[in-house]
Each structure stands twice: as C-alpha cells, then as structure tokens.
Amino acid sequence: MAMALRLIKRNLGFNLLPLSSSASLLHSHATSFGFKEVQEEEKSQMVSNVFSSVASNYDLMNDLMSVGLHRLWKDRLVSKLSPFPGMKHLDVAGGTGDIAFRILETVNSIRSRALQDPCYDPLQEETEIYVCDINPNMLNVGRKRAIERGLGKDKSLIWVEGNAEALTFQDNSMDGYTIAFGIRNVTHIEKVLDEAHRVLKRGGRFLCLELSHVEVPVFKEWYDYYSFSIIPALGELVAGDRESYQYLVESIRRFPNQEKFASMIADAGFRKVEYENLVGGVVAIHSGLKL
C-alpha cells in the first residue's frame, strides 16, 4: 500500500496530505493580515496581539502619525452624527474612548444649554454611550482616560468587551453606530456591517471613519513613501514595535477603496450611503441610514 502511494505521488507530481489535514483545510479560509495570507481563525488573535502591543502608546502614535489631524477627523465624524441627550449610541472598536468622549461632551454641552429652559426636564433623558472593543487592553486605556477626564463615574459611558462581527446588543436598540479606524482590522467586513444594521433603530445612522485610498498621483507617491518608510520607523522609535505599524500600513492598502466600501454598506441594507474624503483620501468618512 505504501509503495502504491509513493508511485501515485511520483507520477502525479504532488504530495498527498494526511486525511486529517485535508479535512481541516476544507473548512478553513484564507484572509489577509496586512500583505500576508493567514487562516481566518488566526487573524482575530493576530490583530488582538497587535493592539495589545500598541495600546499604551496608541493615542500618542495617532498624534505623531497624523500630525494631530486625527483629532480634527474625529471631530468631523461626531459632527455628522449630531448627538443628542437621551440617545443610545454604540461606538465599536472604540477602546481608548476618543469618539465616545467627544459624543458625551457634545451631549453635555447641549444639555447645559437646555438647562436654561425652565420647561426642560433632564430626568426624561438617559444618555447611554456603549464603547465596544474586542481588546481588553484598549478598554483599560479608555477607562483610565475617562477617570483622568473626570468621566470615570459617568453612568452614560458603558464599557463592553465584544466582537464587532457578533454583537450582544438587541435588534433596533441604538440611535447611532460609529467605528473609527477599526473596520479594516476585522476578518469579515460584511458581518460587521450586517451587525451594525441589525442593532440600529430605524432612522439610526451608521458612520465609519477609516484610513482609505489616495488617488492623486503625486500625493499618492509621497503618501506611500511616508506610510512604508516613516510610520514603521516611528513605531519602532516610540513604541518599540515596528511590526505592528508595518501591519497598519499594509492593512490600509488591503482595505476596499471608497466606492467599493460604499457599495458594501449599501448591500448591508443601508440607504443614503455617501462618503467624504479628507486630506485627499488619506481618510474617508462613510455614512448610511437604516430606513
């Protein structure tokens, strides 16, 4: 029997896999981790390792990599959301709290102005902002930052460890959904979009801020040089982690372009889908409504 198998391999020119290996491959699919191809079941752990590694320096590196522009991009995202007192909002991949803090600050500002109205009843409004992240280290950074901002005891902020592809929130439970610099790291973008649509109420808005694709030729050449030469070097210098930031720039190039991503949002059931390019397409804000 063994001799027969060797003859078959020699004549057909390939190696036969053990039955157990071939069976497992039938149920496993490849996906991208930067420019690498990995098995789907491996990617989530690899991404988790990246963010566990960068968590403590995440906000500092965002400032350095974007020269502080990420703050303006996030402000723009929240302005499109139009937060309001009493809203139920879900911020996914938001561990360090950057988006959630902005939403809460906007709500508090609106509430402060409303308090001047004698007819205003603040007890009617219970704002709930859920910060959902798959990585506990990122959530810990967010909780610490909330305490530093005096928001640690604010019951409006609710920290949840969870997977964007399989949310634990009820159907039609959220007024808004945001995800900033997170969706390109998931294994199945379609599942994330389906879950976003499921948890939103009718009339709820989906907003995604993500690093995207530059099309202007001269700017694209400069941006590619900056991405592949400067950002990994910064990661090594500041965070002692070149590989995680190499993954970062590679993952941007593997992410769908603006038009393709807009069509994926529409396929998930969202309507009035549109996007706005910022800094020539370095980042884009996509939005859609659940009607």
Side-chain angles (χ1 to χ4, degrees):
M1 183 65 178
M3 183 178 295
L5 286 173
R6 284 197 295 272
L7 286 172
I8 292 172
K9 286 192 287 183
R10 185 182 305 128
N11 291 335
L12 295 181
F14 63 82
N15 292 323
L16 294 178
L17 292 170
L19 287 176
S20 58
S21 297
S22 59
S24 65
L25 287 174
L26 288 174
H27 300 287
S28 183
H29 301 279
T31 187
S32 66
F33 178 78
F35 289 160
K36 300 174 184 175
E37 292 295 322
V38 300
Q39 298 305 309
E40 287 184 345
E41 57 270 21
E42 296 175 331
K43 179 172 179 175
S44 60
Q45 185 58 53
M46 294 173 76
V47 171
S48 179
N49 291 342
V50 166
F51 283 94
S52 292
S53 174
V54 306
S56 60
N57 292 293
Y58 184 77
D59 294 300
L60 173 61
M61 281 298 296
N62 279 347
D63 275 330
L64 293 174
M65 290 187 298
S66 70
V67 200
L69 288 175
H70 76 100
R71 298 172 183 268
L72 299 178
W73 301 336
K74 291 169 181 174
D75 287 344
R76 179 63 176 162
L77 178 78
V78 173
S79 72
K80 285 177 171 285
L81 178 65
S82 300
F84 57 88
M87 76 181 303
K88 305 293 185 291
H89 183 81
L90 176 59
D91 182 43
V92 173
T96 62
D98 255 10
I99 301 301
F101 297 155
R102 282 170 167 78
I103 295 170
L104 185 56
E105 287 165 0
T106 302
V107 168
N108 288 342
S109 177
I110 294 170
R111 182 181 287 117
S112 295
R113 293 195 300 270
L115 284 171
Q116 300 173 15
D117 183 349
C119 298
Y120 174 71
D121 182 5
L123 296 178
Q124 293 180 354
E125 301 167 347
E126 292 184 8
T127 303
E128 295 177 359
I129 302 170
Y130 294 86
V131 185
C132 179
D133 201 293
I134 199 169
N135 190 293
N137 295 296
M138 297 289 281
L139 289 169
N140 288 337
V141 171
R143 290 189 186 97
K144 182 179 178 181
R145 292 182 70 209
I147 293 170
E148 291 170 352
R149 289 169 172 247
L151 301 172
K153 295 181 179 179
D154 194 315
K155 295 182 180 179
S156 296
L157 284 174
I158 303 150
W159 306 87
V160 179
E161 185 177 340
N163 188 338
E165 297 183 22
L167 297 171
T168 57
F169 302 97
Q170 294 182 353
D171 297 0
N172 307 305
S173 58
M174 298 292 167
D175 295 296
Y177 176 113
T178 49
I179 181 167
F181 306 126
I183 201 165
R184 75 177 184 284
N185 297 308
V186 305
T187 304
H188 304 100
I189 294 173
E190 295 88 347
K191 288 184 180 180
V192 174
L193 296 173
D194 287 343
E195 282 291 270
H197 190 270
R198 178 183 67 79
V199 301
L200 278 170
K201 300 175 184 177
R202 292 197 178 277
R205 181 176 293 278
F206 166 87
L207 283 162
C208 175
L209 172 65
E210 189 54 87
L211 294 156
S212 199
H213 294 263
V214 174
E215 298 300 335
V216 180
V218 175
F219 186 32
K220 185 178 186 302
E221 290 177 13
W222 176 87
Y223 181 56
D224 284 345
Y225 171 78
Y226 178 77
S227 297
F228 288 98
S229 299
I230 305 300
I231 289 179
L234 270 176
E236 184 172 21
L237 180 66
V238 176
D241 188 349
R242 185 184 188 92
E243 288 187 4
S244 291
Y245 289 92
Q246 183 69 33
Y247 158 74
L248 166 71
V249 296
E250 291 178 2
S251 68
I252 298 166
R253 299 314 188 273
R254 295 298 297 264
F255 189 69
N257 65 28
Q258 289 89 322
E259 288 291 338
K260 173 62 177 175
F261 186 46
S263 70
M264 294 172 73
I265 296 170
D267 288 344
F270 288 100
R271 298 294 177 260
K272 297 186 178 181
V273 177
E274 58 187 21
Y275 65 87
E276 177 185 11
N277 281 330
L278 303 175
V279 196
V282 170
V283 296
I285 298 176
H286 282 74
S287 68
L289 287 174
K290 178 176 177 179
L291 299 178

